[in-house]
Amino acid sequence: MGFTEKQEALVKESWEVMKQNIPEFSLRFFTLIIEIAPAAKNLFSFLKDSNEVPKNNPRLKAHAVKVFKMTCESAIQLREKGEVVVADTTLKYLGSVHVQKGVIDPHFEVVKEALLRTVKEAIGEKWNEEMNGAWGEAYDQLAAAIKAEMKEELDQLNPSTTPLN
């Protein structure tokens, strides 16, 4: 089916709302990640040594902005190009970092849940199943691209030995 024009419009519309208060929503996003999966805190260098999500942590805010922005921009690319388009170097870096940190599939689901809940809180009454589906699809496509890079990274780190026939 692909990412529809309507889905793209919904993601863009809600992103415009969230951009008005990135510090608040980035903090909420990471608070939700830690609430859903407390052990995830150890995956983030800027949260690792803290007992709570720091409210004025510039690295946390910068990271959350990147996640929101990349998800939104990849959603727009889904519509325009039919696939996630992120600079190869960025995707390779994301794949490498996620492998180094030990990120696994359930971690992506935690981030997705936190992202959807953050968007829902940010846009309030405008939230509906279509909006949920649009952000969910955008995130799933970006996560799939990162996972593909992670697999490539792992394959390079652990080349499989092919038996000779």
Side-chain angles (χ1 to χ4, degrees):
M1 176 173 112
F3 198 69
T4 68
E5 194 172 334
K6 173 82 171 167
Q7 286 174 311
E8 178 189 15
L10 289 168
V11 168
K12 280 181 173 178
E13 175 188 331
S14 52
W15 174 238
E16 288 303 315
V17 171
M18 289 188 300
K19 281 197 307 192
Q20 304 304 312
N21 198 346
I22 286 295
E24 177 187 332
F25 297 123
S26 61
L27 183 64
R28 183 64 183 142
F29 174 61
F30 276 95
T31 301
L32 285 168
I33 289 172
I34 303 310
E35 283 177 13
I36 296 164
K41 183 176 72 160
N42 296 322
L43 296 172
F44 301 101
S45 60
F46 47 85
L47 297 177
K48 196 182 277 188
D49 298 324
S50 173
N51 289 328
E52 59 186 48
V53 177
K55 292 183 177 18
N56 294 311
N57 185 320
R59 290 177 60 206
L60 177 147
K61 290 175 185 173
H63 188 75
V65 169
K66 283 182 199 172
V67 172
F68 282 123
K69 192 173 179 188
M70 192 178 306
T71 303
C72 184
E73 289 174 352
S74 67
I76 293 162
Q77 294 298 318
L78 278 175
R79 177 79 184 122
E80 292 175 5
K81 311 270 193 237
E83 63 182 354
V84 170
V85 178
V86 179
D88 281 347
T89 54
T90 301
L91 264 183
K92 287 197 182 315
Y93 172 76
L94 288 171
S96 177
V97 166
H98 283 77
V99 166
Q100 289 170 19
K101 297 286 183 182
V103 173
I104 55 175
D105 279 353
H107 295 140
F108 283 95
E109 289 307 310
V110 167
V111 172
K112 180 180 179 179
E113 182 181 337
L115 175 75
L116 293 176
R117 285 171 56 184
T118 303
V119 176
K120 180 179 181 177
E121 290 176 19
I123 64 167
E125 293 178 9
K126 291 183 179 183
W127 181 260
N128 57 36
E129 281 307 307
E130 277 186 303
M131 185 77 72
N132 184 69
W135 274 96
E137 180 64 22
Y139 177 81
D140 288 347
Q141 293 287 338
L142 179 59
I146 293 169
K147 288 177 190 180
E149 284 300 326
M150 288 173 68
K151 182 182 179 331
E152 201 169 294
E153 174 86 5
L154 286 169
D155 288 348
Q156 288 175 359
L157 291 172
N158 308 312
S160 59
T161 52
T162 313
L164 297 173
N165 291 334

Coordinates of all heavy atoms in Angstrom, one line a residue, residues 51-83:
N51 N 19.6 8.7 38.3 CA 18.4 8.0 38.8 C 17.1 8.5 38.2 O 16.1 7.9 38.4 CB 18.4 8.1 40.3 CG 19.5 7.3 41.0 OD1 19.9 6.3 40.4 ND2 20.0 7.7 42.1
E52 N 17.2 9.5 37.4 CA 16.0 10.1 36.8 C 16.4 10.6 35.4 O 17.5 10.8 35.1 CB 15.4 11.1 37.7 CG 16.3 12.3 38.0 CD 15.8 13.3 39.0 OE1 15.3 12.9 40.0 OE2 15.8 14.5 38.6
V53 N 15.4 11.0 34.7 CA 15.6 11.6 33.4 C 15.9 13.1 33.7 O 15.1 13.8 34.2 CB 14.4 11.5 32.4 CG1 14.7 12.2 31.1 CG2 14.1 10.0 32.2
P54 N 17.1 13.6 33.4 CA 17.5 14.9 33.7 C 16.7 15.9 32.9 O 16.6 15.8 31.6 CB 19.0 15.0 33.4 CG 19.3 13.8 32.6 CD 18.2 12.8 32.8
K55 N 16.1 16.9 33.5 CA 15.2 17.9 32.8 C 16.0 18.9 31.9 O 15.4 19.3 30.9 CB 14.4 18.6 33.8 CG 13.4 17.7 34.6 CD 12.6 18.5 35.5 CE 11.5 17.8 36.2 NZ 11.5 16.4 36.3
N56 N 17.2 19.2 32.2 CA 17.9 20.2 31.4 C 19.1 19.6 30.7 O 20.1 20.3 30.6 CB 18.3 21.4 32.3 CG 17.1 22.1 32.8 OD1 16.2 22.4 32.0 ND2 17.0 22.4 34.1
N57 N 19.1 18.4 30.3 CA 20.2 17.7 29.7 C 20.2 18.1 28.2 O 19.4 17.6 27.5 CB 20.1 16.2 29.9 CG 21.3 15.5 29.4 OD1 21.8 15.8 28.4 ND2 21.7 14.5 30.2
P58 N 21.2 18.9 27.7 CA 21.2 19.2 26.3 C 21.4 18.0 25.4 O 20.9 18.0 24.3 CB 22.3 20.2 26.2 CG 23.1 20.1 27.5 CD 22.3 19.5 28.5
R59 N 22.1 17.0 25.8 CA 22.3 15.9 25.0 C 21.0 15.1 24.8 O 20.8 14.6 23.7 CB 23.5 15.0 25.5 CG 24.8 15.7 25.4 CD 25.9 14.9 26.0 NE 26.1 13.6 25.4 CZ 26.6 12.5 26.0 NH1 27.1 12.6 27.3 NH2 26.7 11.4 25.4
L60 N 20.3 15.0 25.9 CA 19.0 14.3 25.8 C 18.1 15.0 24.8 O 17.5 14.4 23.9 CB 18.3 14.3 27.2 CG 16.9 13.7 27.3 CD1 16.7 13.0 28.6 CD2 15.9 14.7 27.1
K61 N 18.0 16.4 24.9 CA 17.1 17.1 24.1 C 17.6 17.0 22.6 O 16.8 16.8 21.7 CB 17.1 18.6 24.5 CG 16.4 18.8 25.8 CD 16.5 20.3 26.2 CE 15.9 20.5 27.6 NZ 16.1 21.8 28.1
A62 N 18.9 17.1 22.4 CA 19.4 17.0 21.0 C 19.1 15.6 20.4 O 18.7 15.5 19.3 CB 20.9 17.2 21.0
H63 N 19.2 14.6 21.2 CA 19.0 13.2 20.8 C 17.5 13.1 20.4 O 17.1 12.5 19.4 CB 19.4 12.2 21.8 CG 19.3 10.8 21.3 ND1 20.2 10.3 20.4 CD2 18.4 9.8 21.5 CE1 19.9 9.0 20.1 NE2 18.8 8.7 20.8
A64 N 16.6 13.5 21.3 CA 15.2 13.4 21.0 C 14.8 14.2 19.8 O 14.0 13.7 19.0 CB 14.4 13.9 22.2
V65 N 15.3 15.4 19.6 CA 15.0 16.1 18.4 C 15.4 15.3 17.2 O 14.7 15.3 16.2 CB 15.7 17.5 18.4 CG1 15.6 18.2 17.1 CG2 15.1 18.4 19.5
K66 N 16.6 14.7 17.2 CA 17.1 13.9 16.1 C 16.1 12.8 15.8 O 15.8 12.5 14.6 CB 18.5 13.3 16.3 CG 19.6 14.3 16.2 CD 20.9 13.6 16.4 CE 22.0 14.6 16.7 NZ 23.2 14.0 17.1
V67 N 15.6 12.1 16.8 CA 14.7 11.0 16.6 C 13.4 11.4 16.0 O 12.9 10.9 15.0 CB 14.5 10.2 18.0 CG1 13.4 9.2 17.8 CG2 15.7 9.6 18.5
F68 N 12.8 12.5 16.6 CA 11.6 13.0 16.0 C 11.7 13.5 14.6 O 10.9 13.2 13.7 CB 11.1 14.2 16.9 CG 10.4 13.8 18.2 CD1 10.8 14.3 19.4 CD2 9.3 13.0 18.2 CE1 10.2 14.0 20.6 CE2 8.6 12.7 19.4 CZ 9.1 13.2 20.6
K69 N 12.8 14.3 14.4 CA 13.0 14.9 13.1 C 13.3 13.8 12.0 O 12.8 13.8 10.9 CB 14.2 15.8 13.2 CG 14.3 16.7 12.0 CD 15.4 17.8 12.2 CE 15.5 18.6 10.9 NZ 16.6 19.5 11.0
M70 N 14.1 12.8 12.4 CA 14.4 11.7 11.4 C 13.2 10.9 11.1 O 13.0 10.5 9.9 CB 15.5 10.8 12.0 CG 16.1 9.9 10.9 SD 17.4 8.9 11.5 CE 18.6 10.0 12.1
T71 N 12.4 10.7 12.1 CA 11.1 9.9 11.8 C 10.2 10.7 10.9 O 9.7 10.2 10.0 CB 10.4 9.6 13.2 OG1 11.3 8.8 14.0 CG2 9.2 8.7 12.9
C72 N 10.1 12.0 11.2 CA 9.2 12.8 10.4 C 9.8 12.9 8.9 O 9.0 12.8 8.0 CB 9.1 14.2 11.0 SG 8.0 15.3 10.1
E73 N 11.0 13.2 8.8 CA 11.6 13.4 7.5 C 11.6 12.1 6.7 O 11.4 12.1 5.5 CB 13.1 13.9 7.6 CG 13.1 15.4 8.1 CD 14.5 15.9 8.4 OE1 15.5 15.1 8.4 OE2 14.6 17.1 8.6
S74 N 11.8 11.0 7.4 CA 11.8 9.7 6.7 C 10.4 9.4 6.2 O 10.1 8.8 5.2 CB 12.4 8.5 7.5 OG 11.6 8.3 8.6
A75 N 9.4 9.9 7.0 CA 8.0 9.7 6.6 C 7.7 10.4 5.3 O 7.0 9.9 4.4 CB 7.0 10.2 7.7
I76 N 8.2 11.6 5.2 CA 8.1 12.4 4.0 C 8.7 11.7 2.8 O 8.2 11.7 1.7 CB 8.6 13.9 4.2 CG1 7.7 14.6 5.2 CG2 8.6 14.7 2.9 CD1 8.3 15.8 5.9
Q77 N 9.9 11.2 3.1 CA 10.6 10.5 2.0 C 9.9 9.2 1.6 O 9.9 8.8 0.4 CB 12.0 10.1 2.5 CG 13.0 11.3 2.7 CD 13.2 12.1 1.4 OE1 13.4 11.5 0.3 NE2 13.1 13.4 1.5
L78 N 9.2 8.6 2.5 CA 8.4 7.4 2.2 C 7.4 7.8 1.1 O 7.2 7.0 0.2 CB 7.6 6.9 3.4 CG 8.3 6.0 4.4 CD1 7.4 5.7 5.6 CD2 8.8 4.7 3.8
R79 N 6.8 8.9 1.2 CA 5.8 9.3 0.3 C 6.4 9.7 -1.1 O 6.0 9.3 -2.1 CB 5.0 10.5 0.9 CG 4.0 11.1 -0.1 CD 2.7 10.3 -0.1 NE 1.8 10.8 -1.1 CZ 1.4 10.2 -2.1 NH1 1.7 8.9 -2.3 NH2 0.6 10.7 -3.0
E80 N 7.5 10.4 -1.0 CA 8.1 10.9 -2.2 C 8.9 9.8 -2.9 O 8.9 9.8 -4.2 CB 9.1 12.1 -1.9 CG 8.4 13.3 -1.4 CD 9.3 14.4 -0.9 OE1 10.5 14.3 -1.1 OE2 8.8 15.5 -0.4
K81 N 9.6 9.0 -2.2 CA 10.5 8.0 -2.8 C 10.0 6.6 -2.7 O 10.6 5.7 -3.4 CB 11.9 8.1 -2.2 CG 12.5 9.5 -2.1 CD 13.3 9.8 -3.3 CE 14.1 11.1 -3.0 NZ 13.9 12.2 -3.9
G82 N 9.0 6.3 -1.9 CA 8.5 5.0 -1.7 C 9.4 4.1 -0.7 O 9.2 2.9 -0.6
E83 N 10.4 4.8 -0.1 CA 11.3 4.0 0.8 C 11.9 5.1 1.8 O 11.9 6.2 1.5 CB 12.4 3.2 0.1 CG 13.3 4.1 -0.7 CD 14.4 3.4 -1.5 OE1 14.5 2.1 -1.3 OE2 15.1 4.0 -2.2

